[in-house]
Amino acid sequence: LYGIGALSCSTMALMVRGYVTFFSDPIPSKPVGHDGSAVAHSSKGGSVKKGDLASMWDGLQLILRYDYVLLILGISCLYEVVLTVLDYEMKVIG
């Protein structure tokens, strides 16, 4: 029984490795601007300096601005709470 469990975990790891190998795009190590400084590409097609990257507050603004993102957050949190309660119940029963 333990061997079957170990085999399923190993199979999953090999499947993930195959997926990453097959579907991944090569990522450049460090994009460099014209002046030699590191840059990151923005979604608008331009480039921004390294200090201008998104912060936690930008993510909070997205959650508060768009209702569907707030709903995704709510469903995710509810799922985690239910999962934690079920895990506790299974440990108490077992």
Side-chain angles (χ1 to χ4, degrees), residues 14-15 56 64 79:
L14 288 173
M15 287 172 47
M56 179 185 74
L64 297 175
Y79 171 78

Side-chain angles (χ1 to χ4, degrees), residues 10-42:
S10 300
T11 304
M12 183 191 66
L14 288 173
M15 287 172 47
V16 169
R17 176 68 178 158
Y19 179 83
V20 168
T21 303
F22 187 73
F23 291 107
S24 67
D25 292 332
I27 300 173
S29 58
K30 290 184 182 179
V32 178
H34 295 292
D35 59 351
S37 64
V39 296
H41 296 288
S42 69

Side-chain angles (χ1 to χ4, degrees), residues 3-76:
I4 293 171
L7 184 62
S8 66
C9 290
S10 300
T11 304
M12 183 191 66
L14 288 173
M15 287 172 47
V16 169
R17 176 68 178 158
Y19 179 83
V20 168
T21 303
F22 187 73
F23 291 107
S24 67
D25 292 332
I27 300 173
S29 58
K30 290 184 182 179
V32 178
H34 295 292
D35 59 351
S37 64
V39 296
H41 296 288
S42 69
S43 60
K44 297 176 184 171
S47 60
V48 292
K49 294 285 185 196
K50 191 173 184 178
D52 295 338
L53 295 177
S55 68
M56 179 185 74
W57 302 114
D58 294 332
L60 187 61
Q61 283 179 340
L62 286 175
I63 291 171
L64 297 175
R65 183 181 305 158
Y66 299 107
D67 289 337
Y68 74 94
V69 178
L70 185 61
L71 290 174
I72 292 171
L73 175 67
I75 290 171
S76 175

